[in-house]
Amino acid sequence: MSILAVGSIAFDSISTPSGRVENVLGGSATYFSLAASYFAPVRVVAVVGEDFTAEHENVLKKRGVDTRGIERATGKTFRWGGTYAENLNEAKTDFTHLNVFEQFQPHLPREYRDAEFLFLGNIHPALQAAVRRELDRVQLTGGDTMNFWIQGTRKELGETLKLVDVLLINDGEAKMLAGDTSLPRAAHRVLAMGPKALVLKHGEYGATIFFREGAFGIGHHPFRAPALPIEEVQDPTGAGDSFAGGFMGYIASQEQLNREVLKRALFYGGVMGSFAVERFGTERLQTLTREEIDARFQVFRELTHLE
Amino acid sequence: MSILAVGSIAFDSISTPSGRVENVLGGSATYFSLAASYFAPVRVVAVVGEDFTAEHENVLKKRGVDTRGIERATGKTFRWGGTYAENLNEAKTDFTHLNVFEQFQPHLPREYRDAEFLFLGNIHPALQAAVRRELDRVQLTGGDTMNFWIQGTRKELGETLKLVDVLLINDGEAKMLAGDTSLPRAAHRVLAMGPKALVLKHGEYGATIFFREGAFGIGHHPFRAPALPIEEVQDPTGAGDSFAGGFMGYIASQEQLNREVLKRALFYGGVMGSFAVERFGTERLQTLTREEIDARFQVFRELTHLE
């Protein structure tokens, strides 16, 4: 079944120890959509400016992404610049020009309203909630957020968390959201805020999914997927959204939602994240094949599999 | 087959957010021996002072550890004090009184000289090398080290690394030793220094074993074991040595050394580390049963196992 993704489209200027690129296509909706497109049909809702050309749109269209929900506004597309130091753990933001993104109000095309899978990328939690409330056939909502919203829009975020089935955030965000430096304790506190499941992304150490007791009828034992030790990470930008795309995409491609599907989804999330960081921007996500993806899934599986 | 462990015996005074203990039995040889004792016979070589009583020795003897290699010297036993902050990641050392450990020269009892498995705990690398060179039937040598030796005794450590088959260190130590902030690159650089395999301990994220190409005849793909998300870590002291004890103990208990054995050993390492941190000092390691250990092994396996 198809997935509706709401988020940002951006032009990124990125410096890492491996090099530098300027104004390459990025944004949460872009990374998510490309990654998810290998598993299920994707529809995207975002806003761009007049500098967003047919060539840019074709990056998404070539992967079959439905771009009718991309709104063209007067002005420039969201631009972000960041620099990663040697350890690649976190980007130092060089600049953020919100441009048309500042006034973003997601408009859902009529054709999108039967969406059954929804991903709420990292935008203002009030907008995330508004999108969710417009849809009445959604089976599963995935969501992301970040420190900026956790600190600045706590109340709105609290409302949104009640509408999100699976929240996907990183360890630092979970600790900040829960106000607890113990990761497992933080996980349980976040689950008490609303989500049925919480995916914690540990960067190069993989990811863990925690379940609220009784959620999805599958017990509450956590499950962990590894990340591949990659020697040459060129650009970590978009790894988290690519993870979410693999995770949600795999779920949407399955007929049932059970524990085994969620486990495999966590592995596919890691797989798509690992591809994303191999090249700058979305380059690697544009030209993958499902065979390459499944081959890496097997590598991930072997990485922790006991006979 | 039995394991010979060389390392420290200490009395630790530890503060964590869960509480405080004073002068409890600790040290690398102690944690290692107790953890390994659930898998294979253990012989220990260490030095203690006059304050080390029969009661202390009985903690090891009750677990069947051969204590004939514990030398009694005039003076006090090594004492260490440390405080863990809320995140429990690293201890701030309050004091280090080396006492009799300062002049430690490992003496191997004649009965220990047929040792086939050897663990070189975190002591001066020149002493580690001397112990290894005294033994001529060793099949597998495991070793540990720390930042202090990496920075202060680099040359001696380089010689020791050529004698160690499996080096077990944490991520920060590997990065320092290799002079590289990329973990997989650091791993390969460390392997080029001598060890056939490198176990990187990632704390709450588990551990990864990297192999030198051709080592053990098992290919060079890394393998990763998860760690259990534990809500209440009481005291992280000794987790690394307990990991090493589970890892080496399981290997010594097996007839063959192959890839599957090394994989399971990595899981058993994580299992013993997870038990160690549940209580202060060695308390939890003193009263385990093999059934409890194997039950947790299954939990660890389930944590990442895909059907």
Side-chain angles (χ1 to χ4, degrees):
Chain A
M1 275 177 289
S2 77
I3 308 176
L4 172 54
V6 184
S8 61
I9 291 178
F11 292 126
D12 294 336
S13 295
I14 305 159
S15 290
T16 83
S18 304
R20 173 164 178 81
V21 292
E22 304 239 358
N23 298 316
V24 297
L25 184 63
S28 63
T30 309
Y31 281 102
F32 178 93
S33 297
L34 290 173
S37 73
Y38 292 92
F39 301 90
V42 181
R43 301 154 168 180
V44 63
V45 171
V47 65
V48 297
E50 294 150 301
D51 47 2
F52 186 83
T53 65
E55 197 185 333
H56 295 122
E57 189 171 353
N58 272 335
V59 169
L60 294 167
K61 281 185 161 173
K62 273 192 197 154
R63 288 293 321 141
V65 176
D66 185 336
T67 58
R68 285 176 292 180
I70 298 180
E71 180 194 348
R72 276 127 218 287
T74 306
K76 278 187 163 183
T77 300
F78 179 19
R79 283 169 196 255
W80 176 79
T83 300
Y84 294 87
E86 193 61 52
N87 72 15
L88 296 170
N89 277 347
E90 209 171 347
K92 182 179 73 62
T93 292
D94 298 323
F95 61 85
T96 304
H97 301 147
L98 291 176
N99 299 332
V100 298
F101 190 64
E102 191 160 15
Q103 302 297 327
F104 179 42
Q105 293 286 344
H107 298 297
L108 308 188
R110 176 182 301 272
E111 302 86 350
Y112 285 15
R113 291 181 187 268
D114 59 354
E116 292 180 307
F117 292 88
L118 173 65
F119 179 68
L120 302 169
N122 174 26
I123 59 175
H124 193 298
L127 298 182
Q128 293 179 315
V131 169
R132 176 63 189 84
R133 290 195 178 104
E134 272 197 69
L135 299 163
D136 53 15
R137 294 210 207 162
V138 170
Q139 294 176 16
L140 188 89
T141 302
D144 186 14
T145 191
M146 69 183 293
N147 297 351
F148 183 74
W149 309 119
I150 295 170
Q151 293 178 312
T153 61
R154 186 64 179 228
K155 187 159 168 292
E156 294 94 327
L157 181 58
E159 291 304 310
T160 302
L161 288 178
K162 293 175 192 163
L163 305 171
V164 167
D165 297 303
V166 184
L167 182 68
L168 299 101
I169 53 180
N170 67 37
D171 293 355
E173 290 159 352
K175 289 176 180 178
M176 179 183 281
L177 183 55
D180 196 320
T181 57
S182 153
L183 212 47
R185 275 205 310 264
H188 292 124
R189 288 188 182 198
V190 171
L191 289 173
M193 297 174 192
K196 295 190 182 72
L198 171 66
V199 172
L200 288 187
K201 296 171 287 181
H202 313 312
E204 66 179 319
Y205 299 117
T208 307
I209 184 165
F210 294 85
F211 301 103
R212 213 168 66 201
E213 189 128 15
F216 308 117
I218 58 169
H220 66 288
H221 294 296
F223 183 76
R224 187 167 277 193
L228 193 66
I230 298 175
E231 284 197 50
E232 293 301 338
V233 173
Q234 285 214 339
D235 173 15
T237 310
D241 293 304
S242 305
F243 184 104
F247 178 84
M248 292 285 296
Y250 181 73
I251 291 173
S253 76
Q254 299 297 298
E255 295 190 1
Q256 289 193 321
L257 183 63
N258 55 37
R259 187 169 170 86
E260 194 61 23
V261 166
L262 284 163
K263 283 159 66 172
R264 287 175 175 266
L266 204 68
F267 270 72
Y268 275 112
V271 164
M272 299 313 290
S274 80
F275 279 122
V277 303
E278 287 183 351
R279 298 282 181 281
F280 276 90
T282 61
E283 186 187 332
R284 192 74 181 93
L285 295 185
Q286 293 181 34
T287 57
L288 283 167
T289 64
R290 185 59 195 259
E291 289 68 33
E292 287 179 297
I293 292 166
D294 286 333
R296 184 160 295 182
F297 178 91
Q298 287 304 327
V299 171
F300 270 61
R301 185 172 176 275
E302 286 299 314
L303 196 61
T304 56
H305 188 78
L306 295 177
E307 298 299 324
Chain B
M1 275 177 287
S2 77
I3 308 176
L4 172 54
V6 183
S8 61
I9 292 179
F11 292 127
D12 294 336
S13 295
I14 304 159
S15 290
T16 82
S18 304
R20 174 165 178 79
V21 292
E22 304 239 357
N23 298 316
V24 297
L25 185 63
S28 62
T30 308
Y31 281 101
F32 178 93
S33 298
L34 290 173
S37 72
Y38 291 92
F39 301 90
V42 182
R43 301 154 168 179
V44 63
V45 170
V47 64
V48 296
E50 294 150 300
D51 48 0
F52 186 83
T53 64
E55 196 186 332
H56 296 122
E57 189 170 352
N58 272 335
V59 169
L60 294 166
K61 279 184 162 175
K62 272 191 197 154
R63 288 293 321 142
V65 176
D66 185 337
T67 58
R68 285 175 293 180
I70 298 181
E71 180 194 347
R72 275 128 217 287
T74 306
K76 278 187 161 182
T77 300
F78 180 20
R79 282 168 197 256
W80 176 81
T83 300
Y84 294 87
E86 195 59 53
N87 72 15
L88 296 171
N89 276 347
E90 208 170 348
K92 182 178 75 61
T93 291
D94 298 322
F95 61 83
T96 304
H97 300 147
L98 291 175
N99 299 328
V100 298
F101 190 64
E102 190 160 13
Q103 301 298 327
F104 179 42
Q105 292 286 344
H107 297 297
L108 308 188
R110 177 181 299 275
E111 302 86 351
Y112 284 15
R113 291 183 185 267
D114 59 353
E116 292 179 309
F117 291 88
L118 173 64
F119 179 69
L120 302 168
N122 174 25
I123 59 174
H124 192 298
L127 298 182
Q128 293 179 316
V131 169
R132 176 62 189 86
R133 290 196 177 106
E134 270 196 69
L135 299 164
D136 52 15
R137 296 210 206 159
V138 170
Q139 293 176 17
L140 188 89
T141 302
D144 186 14
T145 191
M146 70 182 292
N147 297 351
F148 183 73
W149 310 120
I150 294 169
Q151 294 177 310
T153 60
R154 186 63 180 231
K155 186 158 169 292
E156 294 94 328
L157 181 58
E159 291 304 309
T160 302
L161 288 179
K162 293 175 191 163
L163 305 172
V164 167
D165 298 304
V166 184
L167 182 69
L168 299 103
I169 53 180
N170 67 38
D171 293 356
E173 290 160 350
K175 289 176 180 176
M176 181 184 281
L177 183 55
D180 196 320
T181 57
S182 153
L183 212 47
R185 274 204 310 263
H188 291 126
R189 288 188 183 199
V190 171
L191 288 173
M193 297 174 192
K196 294 189 182 72
L198 171 67
V199 173
L200 288 187
K201 295 171 288 181
H202 312 312
E204 66 179 319
Y205 299 118
T208 306
I209 185 165
F210 294 85
F211 301 102
R212 214 168 65 200
E213 189 130 15
F216 308 116
I218 57 170
H220 66 287
H221 293 297
F223 183 76
R224 187 167 277 193
L228 193 67
I230 299 174
E231 283 197 51
E232 293 301 339
V233 174
Q234 284 215 339
D235 173 15
T237 310
D241 293 304
S242 305
F243 184 105
F247 178 84
M248 291 285 296
Y250 182 74
I251 290 173
S253 76
Q254 298 298 299
E255 295 189 2
Q256 290 194 321
L257 183 63
N258 55 37
R259 186 169 170 88
E260 195 63 22
V261 166
L262 284 163
K263 284 159 65 172
R264 287 176 175 265
L266 204 69
F267 271 72
Y268 275 113
V271 164
M272 298 312 290
S274 80
F275 279 122
V277 303
E278 287 182 353
R279 297 282 181 280
F280 276 90
T282 60
E283 186 186 332
R284 192 72 180 95
L285 295 185
Q286 292 180 35
T287 57
L288 284 167
T289 64
R290 186 59 194 260
E291 289 67 35
E292 287 178 296
I293 291 167
D294 286 332
R296 184 161 295 181
F297 178 91
Q298 288 303 326
V299 171
F300 270 61
R301 186 173 176 276
E302 285 300 313
L303 197 61
T304 56
H305 189 77
L306 295 177
E307 298 299 323

